[in-house]
Amino acid sequence: MYRTAFLDIPPLTRAAGSVRLPGSKSISNRVLLLAALCDGVTVIEDLLDSDDTRVMLEALATLGCGLERLGPTRVRVRGLAGRLHVREARLFLGNAGTAMRPLTAALTVLTALQGGRFELSGVPRMHERPIGDLVDALRQLGGTIEDLGQPGYPPLAVGAPAPTPLRLDAPIRVRGDVSSQFLTALLLALPLAAQTRTVTIEVVGELISKPYIEITLRLLARFGVDVQREGWSRFTIPAGARYTTPGRIHVEGDASSASYFVALGAIAATDAPVTIEGVGLDSIQGDIRFVEAAQAMGAHVEGEANRLHVRRGAWPLRALDLDCNHIPDAAMTLAVMALYADGPTTLRHIGSWRVKETDRIAAMAAELRQLGATVDEGPDWLRVHPLGADGRGWRAAAIHTYDDHRMAMCASLAAFNPARVPVRILDPQCVGKTFPDYFETLWSVVEAAPADIPVICIDGPTASGKGTLAAAVAQRLGYHVLDSGALYRVVGLAAERVGLPTDEAALADPALAQRLGALAERLPVRFADGRIWLAGDDVTDAVRSEAAGMAASRVSAVPAVRAGLLALQRGFRRLPGLVADGRDMGTVVFPDAPLKVFLTASAATRARRRYEQLISRGETASIDGLLADLEARDARDRSRAAAPLKPAEDALALDNSEQTIEQSVDTVLAWWQRSRPFGG
């Protein structure tokens, strides 16, 4: 997951390949709570690993539920059997409505039956998300709930030290036109109170997001509780209801998350399909009906039991006028697809957007306008006018995400714009709520023209700090790193392993030079997590020795080696971008890079830094000897026939003799920002 302040997505051209979806958030948190409330052990497979499920797991652990992680997406849950093991606690639930609403209801019922008091709170945005209709319903039931902030909103305290009688003789009434999560919360909690009599829930007004209630009813049945419903207005929990474990349960892939890749296929899968693993057309999730909307816009979709294949069909996409009550979350993706349509698209019945992680109607309208679109909005509708298929009207934009995962994922689809302008996603880590690896998954199935993938080149003499600076800049931007100096060191090490000498006398032999060039061209090297791997061996420490550095300096002067490494180095230019350091990155390898930095420091400063580095590693060193070596390397690098060390004509000079690494990073990032089209 990217934890950078922003993530720049270059213009993307097409898509193809397979993705595996994370587990459904809606199913994951429902199943976790049901497993916690029932008697026995439940093993949950394919559980979503995200911010929302983590806060639910932490809350259940605090309540005394037995939890055992069997893997990133497998959890064994030993249920509470409807009994409170802890009678007082404070639960922080982040911005997870799928945790806040059901836990409020379940703890209200349990404390009424057994006594206890619990405080439930979240992030500031959670304290702006209404819960008053659920609270009113629970107070009808006889539950004790105290507002700890603004009435009708979290934070809340539920329960009292002693049990209180529940009023079950009349139906519990709850509004259905604000959020279906209120009804879901009651449906999950009230079986705990139905041991001796039936419990009835009546919905006041029209129920929105009915497919989410269908998910709840199906999962209740899996845990032994069959709820009878009359239309969508009356639900009856039978007397004697009791949660029982299914033993093992699998979580479907998230149908809402599938919408981004369905849209991706509809927009950009022109040669081969985008295949989505983990959810099929028979999914229990209502958001699978997003496929119907995408097909109406022109997508070509083929479905299997647990897989979808999506290609571009009609182009431009066809405009829609759609009631989105049945796909409230996935409908957000349609708003971005509408930018590529043949006319205005209107999304109706989306009033629930206003009480989600942010006011999604206002947020979507504001950010699509930043991209250049004309957008109209109403209390529960949004109309998006398309942008020009010829690229006119599109603007490079920095998209505010409002700590809303769906805003970030939807906005990424704008990178396929025909104007070939990049899109900046602010606070990309917000996708951690439901799909932490969303952007990494996106890179695996999309392409960009190499010239559009940004590169920052940091060149300079040996020991100037290029590698340290490059790694730090890359970390701040979420980019890949190419340590070209390490490549030459790896060539020297690989040569040693196969018995090829690298002393200066041997390198004068043209036949040996050609063999080294062939070795460099096929070098099985990769960089991962700050380590360097050669043919599966971790050689990070081996290539950092002084001997390896001297060998690298010698082999880097061999034209055949430089030619052999050229294609390999250019292959590191991958989405979303690259920071490359070396001696000829800006002059030879990436001459089209939008930012080139030539990093310098005096030879004396570089010798002192190298001396301190070696001493800290317990190695012996002489400053005078290091200074002589550095000056000799500088002379050799400047005078070599192949790509001599010199600044690119358009490089910016940075002398870091008196700078900290943080100051150098800030300088490079400021230059980078000025080269980007986003402003500010």
Side-chain angles (χ1 to χ4, degrees), residues 284-630:
I284 69 171
Q285 300 168 74
D287 271 351
I288 197 61
R289 293 184 62 191
F290 176 86
V291 169
E292 298 170 11
Q295 288 172 318
M297 294 191 81
H300 179 77
V301 183
E302 296 178 1
E304 302 176 37
N306 201 39
R307 187 178 294 114
L308 300 170
H309 308 279
V310 189
R311 293 175 181 263
R312 182 195 279 187
W315 193 258
L317 296 174
R318 293 189 287 265
L320 284 181
D321 190 320
L322 185 67
D323 183 332
C324 299
N325 181 48
H326 58 298
I327 51 169
D329 285 339
M332 293 180 69
T333 311
L334 296 174
V336 181
M337 291 176 71
L339 299 175
Y340 302 95
D342 58 6
T345 289
T346 303
L347 309 178
R348 303 185 187 277
H349 215 158
I350 55 172
S352 63
W353 284 21
R354 294 202 182 273
V355 294
K356 296 287 187 176
E357 282 79 348
T358 187
D359 179 341
R360 286 175 169 169
I361 292 179
M364 185 64 76
E367 301 314 309
L368 294 183
R369 288 173 187 140
Q370 282 211 82
L371 290 164
T374 298
V375 184
D376 309 311
E377 62 176 289
D380 66 346
W381 58 270
L382 191 74
R383 182 175 297 113
V384 181
H385 298 259
L387 286 165
D390 58 0
R392 288 185 296 178
W394 287 89
R395 294 199 297 258
I399 302 297
H400 291 270
T401 51
Y402 308 88
D403 196 25
D404 187 340
H405 54 131
R406 301 206 186 282
M407 287 295 299
M409 292 185 279
C410 285
S412 68
L413 299 171
F416 288 94
N417 64 82
R420 291 181 61 183
V421 295
V423 175
R424 172 170 289 180
I425 307 295
L426 301 174
D427 187 28
Q429 67 180 336
C430 67
V431 300
K433 183 176 177 68
T434 53
F435 201 156
D437 296 329
Y438 171 75
F439 291 107
E440 293 87 343
T441 303
L442 180 68
W443 308 147
S444 73
V445 290
V446 299
E447 295 180 17
D452 287 332
I453 300 175
V455 178
I456 299 174
C457 295
I458 301 177
D459 287 316
T462 188
S464 57
K466 303 182 299 297
T468 302
L469 178 59
V473 169
Q475 183 179 45
R476 293 274 290 272
L477 294 173
Y479 284 3
H480 302 286
V481 177
L482 168 57
D483 181 348
S484 69
L487 286 182
Y488 288 103
R489 289 169 179 257
V490 173
V491 170
L493 181 62
E496 178 184 316
R497 289 185 170 187
V498 297
L500 295 179
T502 60
D503 59 277
E504 290 189 7
L507 292 176
D509 179 356
L512 175 65
Q514 289 304 314
R515 291 179 67 187
L516 281 174
L519 177 71
E521 189 174 1
R522 299 188 301 270
L523 196 66
V525 64
R526 65 184 177 91
F527 298 92
D529 302 321
R531 310 298 291 178
I532 305 168
W533 300 83
L534 174 63
D537 295 334
D538 185 343
V539 297
T540 310
D541 296 330
V543 301
R544 296 302 181 197
S545 69
E546 280 298 292
M550 293 299 292
S553 181
R554 293 191 298 270
V555 301
S556 67
V558 178
V561 172
R562 304 193 74 84
L565 285 180
L566 186 59
L568 182 67
Q569 291 175 113
R570 287 177 175 166
F572 280 86
R573 192 174 196 166
R574 301 191 301 270
L575 289 166
L578 176 69
V579 182
D581 84 81
R583 290 170 175 75
D584 62 352
M585 294 295 101
T587 53
V588 175
V589 184
F590 301 110
D592 61 340
L595 176 62
K596 301 168 188 173
V597 177
F598 194 80
L599 188 66
T600 62
S602 68
T605 298
R606 289 183 283 134
R608 176 178 52 79
R609 290 174 179 169
R610 179 57 60 84
Y611 174 80
E612 291 171 352
Q613 182 184 60
L614 294 172
I615 294 300
S616 70
R617 298 203 304 243
E619 300 181 32
T620 59
S622 158
I623 287 186
D624 290 341
L626 289 170
L627 179 59
D629 285 342
L630 287 174

Side-chain angles (χ1 to χ4, degrees), residues 139-392:
R139 285 172 175 160
Q140 292 173 46
L141 181 66
T144 302
I145 303 178
E146 177 187 353
D147 295 306
L148 299 180
Q150 182 181 358
Y153 297 84
L156 303 168
V158 303
T164 57
L166 292 174
R167 297 190 288 270
L168 302 173
D169 51 336
I172 309 303
R173 293 167 60 83
V174 63
R175 282 181 61 183
D177 57 353
V178 175
S179 173
S180 66
Q181 287 182 6
F182 301 155
L183 175 57
T184 280
L186 292 173
L187 288 168
L188 294 173
L190 287 175
L192 299 168
Q195 283 87 1
T196 59
R197 59 167 301 153
T198 61
V199 179
T200 301
I201 306 168
E202 288 186 353
V203 176
V204 179
E206 182 180 0
L207 178 63
I208 64 171
S209 306
K210 296 180 183 68
Y212 285 101
I213 301 304
E214 187 66 38
I215 292 174
T216 302
L217 295 176
R218 291 195 185 195
L219 292 175
L220 283 166
R222 290 290 307 277
F223 281 84
V225 176
D226 289 307
V227 177
Q228 305 301 310
R229 71 175 176 89
E230 300 172 29
W232 293 100
S233 61
R234 188 177 178 90
F235 300 80
T236 301
I237 300 166
R242 178 174 172 270
Y243 283 131
T244 57
T245 177
R248 186 177 302 272
I249 189 167
H250 288 261
V251 176
E252 281 187 359
D254 188 62
S256 301
S257 295
S259 72
Y260 313 117
F261 295 97
V262 172
L264 186 65
I267 293 168
T270 54
D271 301 322
V274 171
T275 296
I276 303 159
E277 308 267 3
V279 68
L281 295 178
D282 59 351
S283 167
I284 69 171
Q285 300 168 74
D287 271 351
I288 197 61
R289 293 184 62 191
F290 176 86
V291 169
E292 298 170 11
Q295 288 172 318
M297 294 191 81
H300 179 77
V301 183
E302 296 178 1
E304 302 176 37
N306 201 39
R307 187 178 294 114
L308 300 170
H309 308 279
V310 189
R311 293 175 181 263
R312 182 195 279 187
W315 193 258
L317 296 174
R318 293 189 287 265
L320 284 181
D321 190 320
L322 185 67
D323 183 332
C324 299
N325 181 48
H326 58 298
I327 51 169
D329 285 339
M332 293 180 69
T333 311
L334 296 174
V336 181
M337 291 176 71
L339 299 175
Y340 302 95
D342 58 6
T345 289
T346 303
L347 309 178
R348 303 185 187 277
H349 215 158
I350 55 172
S352 63
W353 284 21
R354 294 202 182 273
V355 294
K356 296 287 187 176
E357 282 79 348
T358 187
D359 179 341
R360 286 175 169 169
I361 292 179
M364 185 64 76
E367 301 314 309
L368 294 183
R369 288 173 187 140
Q370 282 211 82
L371 290 164
T374 298
V375 184
D376 309 311
E377 62 176 289
D380 66 346
W381 58 270
L382 191 74
R383 182 175 297 113
V384 181
H385 298 259
L387 286 165
D390 58 0
R392 288 185 296 178

Side-chain angles (χ1 to χ4, degrees), residues 39-126:
D39 187 9
V41 174
T42 306
V43 175
I44 305 173
E45 308 272 4
D46 301 321
L47 183 76
L48 172 66
D49 182 17
S50 74
D51 294 345
D52 278 21
T53 53
R54 281 191 284 272
V55 297
M56 177 65 94
L57 285 163
E58 289 168 6
L60 296 178
T62 300
L63 294 172
C65 187
L67 300 172
E68 181 183 358
R69 278 281 191 183
L70 304 177
T73 61
R74 290 184 77 221
V75 176
R76 179 183 288 120
V77 182
R78 182 172 296 280
L80 300 171
R83 302 295 303 174
L84 285 172
H85 293 197
V86 173
R87 297 301 174 91
E88 185 173 348
R90 293 181 176 178
L91 306 178
F92 176 79
L93 301 173
N95 200 13
T98 56
M100 175 65 75
R101 277 75 179 264
L103 280 171
T104 295
L107 290 173
T108 298
V109 172
L110 288 171
T111 54
L113 295 172
Q114 302 167 39
R117 187 178 187 277
F118 298 90
E119 294 183 9
L120 299 91
S121 65
V123 299
R125 174 57 188 170
M126 176 57 78

